[in-house]
């Protein structure tokens, strides 16, 4: 499972087989390639920055800008909207991520994946009773060991 996730997200190269997304072949060679294809991963261990705000963690590297500068009002507003509307979470997004419990930090990681990945968000851990179900994303994945073909479709 971990190797498949790393192939899908461009961490490991694909050695054989074919990867299809929405019926089209893809070959992400780097994590940035995967993100450009709309593929993101939520890892079990929180891999965000606890010293940055919740909003900064969600938008890091993708901050909305105005006149070439980060538009902090928009960063905070959009982070708040994403958490409220998509995940039913109402927190102060200007507070540092580390000030919240690990379970909430994991939800922020999921929110970041949703922001990055419209077609495909992958998790290597089981979600329990979250108000938001990662599995509710309209994605189907199948892995055929016989011909080493992975197919992902919405």
């Amino acid at each position: 499972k971990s190797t498949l996730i790393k192939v899908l997200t461009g961490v490991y190269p694909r050695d054989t087989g074919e990867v299809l997304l929405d019926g089209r072949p893809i070959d992400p060679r780097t994590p940035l390639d995967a993100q450009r294809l709309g593929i993101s991963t939520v890892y079990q261990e929180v891999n965000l920055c606890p010293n940055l705000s919740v909003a900064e963690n969600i938008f890091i590297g993708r901050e909305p800008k105005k006149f070439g500068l980060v538009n902090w009002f928009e960063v905070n507003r959009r982070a708040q909207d994403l958490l409220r509307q998509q995940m039913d979470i109402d927190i102060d997004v200007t507070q540092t991520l580390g000030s919240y419990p690990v379970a909430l930090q994991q939800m922020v990681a999921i929110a970041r994946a949703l922001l990055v990945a419209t077609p495909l968000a992958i998790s290597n851990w089981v979600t329990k009773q979250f108000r938001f179900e990662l599995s509710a994303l309209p994605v189907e994945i199948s892995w055929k060991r016989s011909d080493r073909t992975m197919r992902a479709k919405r």
Side-chain angles (χ1 to χ4, degrees):
K1 176 173 76 169
S2 294
T3 302
L4 173 60
I5 290 170
K6 288 178 181 175
V7 169
L8 287 172
T9 57
V11 174
Y12 287 172
R14 177 178 47 83
D15 54 6
T16 62
E18 178 178 37
V19 177
L20 301 174
L21 181 61
D22 287 335
R24 293 174 307 187
I26 62 167
D27 188 19
R29 296 179 186 266
T30 67
L32 187 57
D33 283 349
Q35 286 179 8
R36 287 181 181 139
L37 291 166
I39 300 171
S40 185
T41 305
V42 179
Y43 293 98
Q44 187 170 0
E45 63 283 348
V46 177
N47 59 350
L48 299 175
C49 303
N51 59 318
L52 297 179
S53 74
V54 169
E56 288 171 305
N57 271 283
I58 291 172
F59 279 93
I60 195 164
R62 293 169 196 81
E63 299 90 348
K65 296 195 165 83
K66 188 174 185 177
F67 305 116
L69 301 173
V70 174
N71 184 338
W72 292 111
F73 176 81
E74 275 300 299
V75 168
N76 293 327
R77 185 191 65 75
R78 288 163 75 180
Q80 191 82 59
D81 288 349
L82 175 66
L83 289 172
R84 280 185 183 152
Q85 294 171 8
Q86 298 288 323
M87 304 178 76
D88 196 26
I89 295 174
D90 190 8
I91 60 171
D92 182 353
V93 298
T94 64
Q95 293 297 310
T96 60
L97 182 67
S99 68
Y100 289 107
V102 172
L104 190 71
Q105 292 179 34
Q106 290 174 326
M107 297 304 289
V108 170
I110 292 170
R112 178 174 167 72
L114 289 175
L115 180 71
V116 171
T118 303
L120 183 59
I122 304 166
S123 172
N124 71 343
W125 52 286
V126 178
T127 58
K128 295 266 184 193
Q129 292 292 352
F130 289 130
R131 284 177 256 157
F132 170 81
E133 290 283 336
L134 187 61
S135 61
L137 291 173
V139 173
E140 174 189 316
I141 298 176
S142 62
W143 174 254
K144 296 180 185 175
R145 287 189 167 252
S146 61
D147 65 356
R148 310 278 292 173
T149 299
M150 193 290 303
R151 299 181 187 277
K153 63 181 180 179
R154 286 195 283 177

